Amino acid sequence: MGRDFQLGDYNDVPSRIAEAREKWPDGRLRPVNPEQAYRVETIGNATFIVYTAAFYRTADDPLPGIGVAWEPFPGKTNYTRDSELQNAETSAWGRAIVAALQADAKKGIASAEEVRNRHADREAEWEQAAKAPSVEQVDAFNTFAHSLNLAADDREIHRIGRQVKAAEKSGELTHFQYEQLARKASERLAELQQSGPVEPDGSAK
């Protein structure tokens, strides 16, 4: 698929670890907060696994390098699906080492692994966009869209939103249908905020 088109322009994380280990034999990588190595963040209709790593050059390093990375959940490709946390951790490690100024950043802060994963994600999106939805997916989309049009309050919209997300995850909807419905849900929420309570048929009181 040509995903390695410019990976040579980036250092991979193992190379950064080896470089840091050579400079600082006692260096170590660990979560910034070992009690909560990662967290799950939801922004709009997107979910991410967030990992914050620290690179300590010595055991008592007062200013370790800090790196933060996140991965979309669920992952879209074989590189990221079912290994979202591991990918976020690896990316955070690479960034923490660069932040500690112990790795060559001439090839960029992003690691080869990050670039590969994002390029693969884009290719997966392009491939999905090229596929027409099935009759069943079109019917499901229309049903959800109609339900959103009739939604009378934000709780109803959020309930439908959870159903839409589950449908996208199960394949009942395509990812792009899901994104269209997510935008429609946001627009419906805005309408309700402007018009106030509505009747079950969608008309304003």
Side-chain angles (χ1 to χ4, degrees), residues 13-36:
V13 174
S15 295
R16 289 181 178 176
I17 292 175
E19 182 183 345
R21 183 70 70 185
E22 182 177 348
K23 293 179 179 179
W24 296 93
D26 295 329
R28 62 200 66 189
L29 286 158
R30 56 175 288 180
V32 167
N33 179 6
E35 295 182 1
Q36 186 181 12

Side-chain angles (χ1 to χ4, degrees), residues 4-203:
D4 297 329
F5 67 109
Q6 54 183 358
L7 293 185
D9 294 338
Y10 299 85
N11 280 335
D12 60 20
V13 174
S15 295
R16 289 181 178 176
I17 292 175
E19 182 183 345
R21 183 70 70 185
E22 182 177 348
K23 293 179 179 179
W24 296 93
D26 295 329
R28 62 200 66 189
L29 286 158
R30 56 175 288 180
V32 167
N33 179 6
E35 295 182 1
Q36 186 181 12
Y38 72 94
R39 66 183 189 275
V40 178
E41 292 282 350
T42 300
I43 300 178
N45 293 293
T47 302
F48 299 89
I49 303 294
V50 184
Y51 194 101
T52 304
F55 174 65
Y56 293 82
R57 288 157 288 195
T58 60
D60 57 351
D61 189 346
L63 294 173
I66 305 296
V68 181
W70 67 6
E71 279 289 327
F73 181 85
K76 300 180 178 68
T77 73
N78 291 334
Y79 288 121
T80 56
R81 190 179 302 112
D82 298 328
S83 58
E84 296 87 352
L85 177 56
Q86 296 94 316
N87 280 301
E89 179 184 55
T90 299
S91 296
W93 283 354
R95 288 174 174 271
I97 292 170
V98 171
L101 303 178
Q102 301 309 320
D104 184 359
K106 292 179 180 178
K107 290 189 175 184
I109 294 175
S111 65
E113 290 87 349
E114 287 183 73
V115 175
R116 178 202 65 193
N117 292 342
R118 298 291 75 80
H119 185 60
D121 283 348
R122 287 195 295 271
E123 286 194 333
E125 291 174 355
W126 294 335
E127 290 173 2
Q128 182 63 36
K131 297 179 181 178
S134 66
V135 173
E136 292 78 10
Q137 288 172 328
V138 171
D139 288 343
F141 175 88
N142 290 337
T143 298
F144 283 124
H146 182 66
S147 296
L148 286 171
N149 285 335
L150 298 181
D153 55 45
D154 58 348
R155 287 189 302 176
E156 179 70 5
I157 291 176
H158 289 308
R159 183 185 66 80
I160 296 170
R162 289 191 294 271
Q163 293 176 340
V164 168
K165 183 62 177 176
E168 188 258 347
K169 188 173 182 180
S170 69
E172 185 180 353
L173 292 170
T174 70
H175 177 67
F176 290 91
Q177 285 178 312
Y178 164 76
E179 289 186 336
Q180 286 180 295
L181 289 169
R183 285 194 293 271
K184 189 172 185 64
S186 297
E187 292 169 358
R188 183 60 177 154
L189 279 172
E191 290 175 2
L192 291 176
Q193 291 171 356
Q194 292 176 358
S195 63
V198 298
E199 296 291 351
D201 64 357
S203 61

